[in-house]
């Protein structure tokens, strides 16, 4: 049996495409590093970037990325309250106009077939974000969408965080 077949058998038939095609995955991680720099140069703080990453991951139902970026958001100083209501961000006043514009644009990037939502999100972004910020938000969302697809299609497992005590 081929090594890849053995590893796929252990993961319920899924191939961890990041490991199977490392050159392609390294290109994606290099893109992510460039996007991280673009976001920082545009003035997007780490919390806003993580909110975008989490919202995109919610829309794509990527458990692995949700776990990873929730931890990163908390380390960056995000609150559990805002993380808890992020899926319903439109129904709360906890997010600034700038954050709301970035979240709407991220959702439109994730669901590009909804042209009406895309146009509305872009108009909202135009009112609250600079051209550099708009570009950075879109790039962050594009990159997160790509990582979501890698993890979803590979079925990357979410392991219990050893720093968090188990629930009874």
């Amino acid at each position: 049996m081929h090594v890849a077949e053995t590893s796929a058998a252990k993961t319920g038939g899924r191939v961890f495409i990041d490991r199977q095609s490392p050159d392609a995955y390294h290109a994606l991680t290099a893109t992510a590093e460039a996007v991280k720099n673009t976001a920082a140069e545009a003035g997007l703080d780490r919390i806003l970037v993580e909110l975008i990453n989490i919202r995109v991951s919610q829309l794509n139902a990527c458990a692995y990325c949700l776990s990873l970026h929730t931890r990163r958001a908390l380390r960056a100083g995000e609150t559990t309250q805002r993380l808890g209501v992020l899926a319903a961000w439109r129904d709360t006043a906890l997010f600034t106009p700038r954050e709301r514009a970035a979240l709407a644009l991220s959702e439109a990037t994730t669901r590009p077939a909804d042209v009406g939502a895309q146009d509305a999100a872009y108009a909202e972004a135009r009112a609250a974000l600079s051209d550099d910020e708009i570009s950075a938000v879109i790039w962050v969302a594009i990159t997160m969408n790509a990582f979501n697809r890698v993890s979803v299609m590979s079925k990357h497992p979410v392991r219990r965080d050893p720093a968090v005590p188990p629930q009874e």
Side-chain angles (χ1 to χ4, degrees), residues 46-47 49-58 62-87 144 148 158 161 164:
R46 196 73 229 151
I47 288 176
V49 169
E50 293 305 338
L51 288 173
I52 294 165
N53 289 336
I54 293 166
R55 185 63 191 131
V56 168
S57 297
Q58 288 173 336
C62 184
Y64 182 85
C65 294
L66 282 167
S67 179
L68 173 70
H69 291 284
T70 297
R71 287 192 314 271
R72 287 182 179 176
L74 289 167
R75 276 197 306 268
E78 185 53 270
T79 67
T80 56
Q81 180 188 25
R82 284 178 16 125
L83 290 174
V85 299
L86 182 58
M144 192 71 254
N148 286 167
V158 176
D161 185 342
V164 178

Side-chain angles (χ1 to χ4, degrees), residues 28-133:
L28 182 56
T29 59
T31 298
E33 190 61 31
V35 169
K36 180 180 176 183
N37 294 337
T38 296
E41 289 168 7
L44 301 186
D45 63 37
R46 196 73 229 151
I47 288 176
L48 180 53
V49 169
E50 293 305 338
L51 288 173
I52 294 165
N53 289 336
I54 293 166
R55 185 63 191 131
V56 168
S57 297
Q58 288 173 336
L59 295 172
N60 290 320
C62 184
Y64 182 85
C65 294
L66 282 167
S67 179
L68 173 70
H69 291 284
T70 297
R71 287 192 314 271
R72 287 182 179 176
L74 289 167
R75 276 197 306 268
E78 185 53 270
T79 67
T80 56
Q81 180 188 25
R82 284 178 16 125
L83 290 174
V85 299
L86 182 58
W89 64 268
R90 284 181 176 84
D91 299 325
T92 177
L94 294 176
F95 299 94
T96 67
R98 184 170 176 260
E99 291 168 334
R100 296 171 76 76
L103 290 168
L105 192 56
S106 299
E107 288 180 1
T109 303
T110 302
R111 297 180 174 154
D114 187 343
V115 177
Q118 190 181 113
D119 290 344
Y122 214 93
E124 186 176 352
R126 271 272 167 234
L129 302 170
S130 70
D131 288 356
D132 287 343
E133 290 170 325

